[in-house]
Amino acid sequence: MVMREDLKKQEEKKMKRFPKVMALTAIAAFVIVSSGFAAWKWPWQKAQRNVLSVQGSTTVLPITQKAAEEYMKINKDIDISIRGGGSGVGIAGIIDGSTDIGNSSRSIKAREIMTAKQKGVNPVGTIIAQDALAIVVHPSNLLRQITISQLKDIYSGKITKWSQLGGPDEMIVPVSRDTSSGTYEIFAEFVLKGVKLRTDSIMTVSNREVAETVKNTKGAIGYVGLAFLSPELKVVEVEGVIPSNETVRNGSYKLTRPLLLFTNGEPAGKAKDYIDFILSPAGQKVVVDAGYVPVK
Amino acid sequence: MKKSVLMAVVFVMAFTAAAMAEFKVTFQGYQWLRYEVIQVGAKQDSTSDRNSFSIPRTYLRMRAIDSSLGIGGFLTVDINNDQFGQKVATTASAGAVDWGIWVKYGYVDFDLPVPEMKLRVGLQKFYFGSVDKWAYPITLSQAYADRHRIIPSSAEQGIALVGILPEGWGDYELAVYNGAGYKKLEDNAEKMYVVSSTIVPLPGLSVRGSYLKTITNAIDAPTRDYSATGVVVTYATGPVEAWVEYNVKKEVRNATATNSGVREGVIAYLGVKLFDPLLLSLRYDAHNPDTGAERDEVNFIMAGLTYSLSDKIDLQFSYELEQPKMLTGHPNNDHRNRFQVQTKWSW
């Protein structure tokens, strides 16, 4: 009787231990087995066609679109599809695998990196060009230079008249991009730094509209990408530096942002070929023609 | 603090902020339409077997965010319609009702000076184990800690610091909850601390640890102090996602207690995307409600197929086998089969 009870207790102990043993075995099994899934393709998946999908930032779109046209002239068996949607859409496409290349006009956020890594995606960005925000004023304005602190005070409402900056006693008319745009995000990051945009700013939906509004409004000040400068706009120095290809590339001009193409891991295959083309002299000419600063 | 006062404070803060700020408001939601068949034991038993149509969940969501101010308000209303009722304590002699409507989530986020850190105030998710991450690929099962009462509820009122670690190394949540849940009357008798963090050391591999501890309150009605721990290890690559979770809850017992006060469980999940719109999900739960008792464990084997008809509509098939491990002849020893067909649509 005593032996039967001992055996019964031993069996019950084994049963209690079973879930823990099972858990450890399951962990080991998952790690070993799934390590082979990295390049897994199910047998029933369609054979991969020569299609490359690119989507994301509308700022990067002109570069990737023109580069794709030039690339496909040389590589006639490749079909590249280009779509916009914004930097967030481009990065999300890399994470969920719906696109081969994600365009972005901003750095990837920590939350996006975490989400990507949790799904087994390693987002790697390749800088293909630089963009800068130029500060522009009405052609009649005598202002030559401005500091980032003064810009912040203008756009937050602390400075309301040009006389506060040594100019005539006239009201400042601030022109801004809508808060959902990547251009505004960069302006907010580098200039506003958490301060609320003044509510009487003229809000516009495109760089072109900013340029037109500033050109035609006395007392106006605005910010546009380098690609949208024209002789009819007056560009002012920021922290003593005028925006140009040279000052953007050497980092002396502060209001700059990289334009990136994101891939899952280091670029490979068709994606690498396409990105290498954009970084080639022919591709960097496309960057210059689009109004951005080449990296090479 | 009474639930109604806390909610009033949250809404006053939200409306005040709205008056001062420019909110971007979005509305969204989703609904589950379900048919379920339950069969208990080897033979058909009309007293236990049943089948039913229900609308077990309708979520109506509103978000109002002003990024320049760093404030966001979030509201989710949960409407439940189920023939066999919900255990809702609407009165002292509460019974089941066919439908109910609750505020599931109602909270305000405040951006803090630390990058990616927010202060979250109000009725919010319970950050423990897989509870706040479970996306219902198998319709029958909640997260283990929610289903088997390791935690009081999947949504709780409280204050939390939530954030993302630098460079996306993971996330963290530190919360104080009042323990009342969102479906029963306020009693504020089981306040608790919860600390959770997910670390992602490598692409595809993440480890999440959670710890919960109640706070003794001698003034209120007698509470049952307890602590709980949860660990989740996840690996994802290509079309495959797999995770294993371990939960344990330890209640403080007195000399007259008749059980050990320790319950634990192990969960294993495997999700495989067979091809783009079709996901196969498998899950195994080993549930031990009392580690000091003999032969009281229950195993659950679940399988589900989710077919995404579009990015807004999913069709789901789920099956669950509940296997009690009691001795033959025990009144609760019958196994239970559950089949579900469900449509989830969102807007």
Side-chain angles (χ1 to χ4, degrees), chain A residues 42-288:
Chain A
W42 299 114
W44 51 84
Q45 276 183 304
K46 291 179 186 173
Q48 210 162 12
R49 298 174 297 160
N50 284 334
V51 176
L52 188 70
S53 61
V54 182
Q55 84 176 33
S57 164
T58 53
T59 300
V60 183
L61 191 64
I63 300 174
T64 53
Q65 221 159 29
K66 186 63 181 171
E69 290 171 15
E70 298 302 316
Y71 181 82
M72 286 190 287
K73 285 179 188 172
I74 307 168
N75 302 277
K76 297 186 189 304
D77 58 334
I78 303 293
D79 187 22
I80 301 178
S81 74
I82 308 284
R83 284 179 296 168
S87 298
V89 170
I91 292 172
I94 290 295
I95 293 173
D96 66 20
S98 62
T99 192
D100 297 306
I101 295 176
N103 299 338
S104 179
S105 58
R106 58 164 173 84
S107 302
I108 190 169
K109 297 175 184 174
R111 182 177 295 277
E112 291 169 327
I113 296 174
M114 180 184 167
T115 303
K117 285 169 68 178
Q118 283 183 304
K119 291 180 184 284
V121 171
N122 180 24
V124 174
T126 305
I127 300 176
I128 55 146
Q130 298 256 42
D131 187 22
L133 292 186
I135 303 300
V136 293
V137 295
H138 188 267
S140 67
N141 198 318
L142 299 178
L143 186 74
R144 288 183 55 238
Q145 60 178 347
I146 197 166
T147 65
I148 292 179
S149 175
Q150 289 168 333
L151 275 172
K152 180 178 174 180
D153 288 343
I154 288 173
Y155 277 89
S156 64
K158 272 190 182 174
I159 295 178
T160 56
K161 290 189 171 183
W162 288 112
S163 55
Q164 293 171 270
L165 296 175
D169 187 23
E170 290 174 357
M171 296 301 291
I172 297 176
V173 182
V175 182
S176 176
R177 284 294 310 278
D178 57 310
T179 56
S180 62
S181 73
T183 306
Y184 173 79
E185 279 186 14
I186 301 298
F187 186 75
E189 179 186 340
F190 285 111
V191 176
L192 293 179
K193 294 179 184 172
V195 169
K196 185 170 157 45
L197 182 69
R198 56 194 282 182
T199 54
D200 61 346
S201 303
I202 297 176
M203 306 302 289
T204 61
V205 297
S206 67
N207 281 288
R208 202 171 302 281
E209 191 177 343
V210 172
E212 284 298 311
T213 305
V214 171
K215 186 179 72 176
N216 295 317
T217 307
K218 205 163 184 302
I221 183 170
Y223 53 92
V224 294
L226 288 186
F228 297 90
L229 292 178
S230 70
E232 294 156 313
L233 285 170
K234 181 174 177 183
V235 182
V236 298
E237 295 176 1
V238 176
E239 304 287 347
V241 181
I242 200 81
S244 68
N245 281 6
E246 184 184 349
T247 58
V248 168
R249 285 162 72 173
N250 66 25
S252 57
Y253 188 73
K254 298 300 176 192
L255 303 184
T256 60
R257 57 175 172 175
L259 303 183
L260 305 106
L261 301 187
F262 279 96
T263 49
N264 180 3
E266 292 292 335
K270 296 188 297 296
K272 183 177 187 306
D273 280 348
Y274 174 64
I275 293 173
D276 284 347
F277 173 79
I278 296 179
L279 293 173
S280 71
Q284 292 292 287
K285 183 177 180 303
V286 170
V287 168
V288 171

Side-chain angles (χ1 to χ4, degrees), chain B residues 315-335:
Chain B
L315 186 61
Q316 294 180 289
F317 302 89
S318 298
Y319 167 72
E320 177 186 86
L321 171 63
E322 181 178 335
Q323 285 182 321
K325 296 299 186 184
M326 291 79 174
L327 294 171
T328 303
H330 191 286
N332 294 330
N333 200 36
D334 285 326
H335 66 269

Side-chain angles (χ1 to χ4, degrees), chain B residues 91-163:
Chain B
T91 64
S93 55
V97 296
D98 286 346
W99 75 281
I101 180 167
W102 302 274
V103 174
K104 179 71 186 276
Y105 305 116
Y107 61 87
V108 179
D109 275 353
F110 299 91
D111 285 354
L112 295 176
V114 175
E116 302 282 2
M117 182 188 283
K118 297 180 192 294
L119 178 69
R120 182 165 291 168
V121 181
L123 183 58
Q124 57 192 283
K125 287 186 178 181
F126 201 103
Y127 311 111
F128 187 94
S130 62
V131 172
D132 56 304
K133 315 287 185 193
W134 182 242
Y136 294 91
I138 302 176
T139 59
L140 295 112
S141 54
Q142 301 158 288
Y144 174 88
D146 189 12
R147 182 176 190 178
H148 296 291
R149 300 294 91 179
I150 300 290
I151 62 168
S153 172
S154 59
E156 282 286 346
Q157 299 195 57
I159 297 174
L161 279 177
V162 299

